[in-house]
């Protein structure tokens, strides 16, 4: 979930959204869904909750829903693609929290490969080009080199 609509790509507003119930029994409405990406790692169906002060991520969604491996230790956290054993994201813990430093690409500008190719095709090209980052793969696609 995020309260930063500008970080979402492919945002789809909802007329009637679901709700999120906070621990102190406050209820807020989900205004829509989008995708957050840093060009190499993407999370789809991210809920936009107006006024949310911190981005929240479900570890269960990453593990069960997407099929990634997530580990936590005294140094920090790691998100790993199970099949290729590729490190997608690594971050150090701060106090009792494990914040993710995703540095998202802002919403509107198009990343051609991520938007035009399926997720499987995008990862296939990523692996075929020796794990080249998606930003550089997109340059290849836009220049008709791929």
């Amino acid at each position: 979930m995020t309260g930063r609509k500008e970080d979402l790509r492919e945002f789809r507003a909802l007329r009637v959204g679901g709700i999120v119930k906070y621990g102190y029994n406050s209820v807020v409405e989900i205004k829509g869904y989008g995708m957050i990406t840093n060009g190499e790692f993407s999370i789809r169906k991210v809920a936009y909750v107006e006024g949310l002060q911190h981005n929240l991520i479900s570890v269960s969604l990453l593990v069960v829903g997407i099929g990634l491996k997530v580990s936590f230790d005294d140094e920090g956290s790691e998100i790993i693609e199970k099949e290729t054993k590729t490190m997608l994201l690594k971050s150090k813990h701060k106090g009792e929290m494990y914040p993710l430093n995703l540095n998202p690409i802002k919403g509107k500008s198009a990343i051609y490969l991520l938007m035009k190719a399926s997720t499987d095709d995008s990862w296939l090209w990523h692996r075929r080009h020796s794990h080249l980052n998606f930003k550089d793969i997109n340059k290849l696609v836009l220049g008709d080199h791929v």
Side-chain angles (χ1 to χ4, degrees):
M1 291 186 296
T2 185
R4 295 178 46 90
K5 187 176 175 182
E6 64 271 14
D7 287 348
L8 294 173
R9 303 173 74 68
E10 302 174 21
F11 179 74
R12 292 197 172 93
L14 298 174
R15 285 187 193 169
V16 179
I19 60 167
V20 176
K21 188 173 184 180
Y22 295 125
Y24 49 87
N25 291 328
S26 173
V27 176
V28 293
E29 185 179 356
I30 296 172
K31 300 289 186 175
Y33 289 94
M35 174 181 67
I36 288 184
T37 184
N38 66 0
E40 296 181 33
F41 176 62
S42 300
I43 304 171
R44 296 190 179 281
K45 203 172 180 191
V46 175
Y48 169 59
V49 177
E50 197 171 54
L52 187 65
Q53 297 297 310
H54 300 282
N55 295 341
L56 302 173
I57 190 166
S58 165
V59 173
S60 176
L61 172 72
L62 294 176
V63 174
V64 178
I66 300 175
L68 301 174
K69 179 181 178 185
V70 180
S71 64
F72 300 92
D73 62 23
D74 61 340
E75 292 182 24
S77 63
E78 298 177 340
I79 300 174
I80 300 168
E81 207 280 326
K82 281 184 184 179
E83 188 176 306
T84 63
K85 309 259 189 273
T86 303
M87 174 78 64
L88 299 175
L89 204 57
K90 184 175 185 173
S91 62
K92 295 184 178 190
H93 75 88
K94 293 181 181 176
E96 295 181 1
M97 301 295 287
Y98 288 86
L100 296 178
N101 187 10
L102 190 58
N103 295 325
I105 295 171
K106 301 300 179 193
K108 295 286 182 185
S109 62
I111 291 184
Y112 186 82
L113 185 64
L114 292 175
M115 292 181 63
K116 300 297 181 187
S118 71
T119 303
D120 291 341
D121 289 340
S122 298
W123 282 106
L124 175 65
W125 283 107
H126 169 71
R127 289 190 298 270
R128 282 186 178 171
H129 288 283
S130 302
H131 300 281
L132 182 66
N133 68 60
F134 286 106
K135 186 187 294 183
D136 290 336
I137 292 173
N138 289 327
K139 289 177 186 174
L140 293 173
V141 170
L142 291 171
D144 289 327
H145 302 292
V146 177

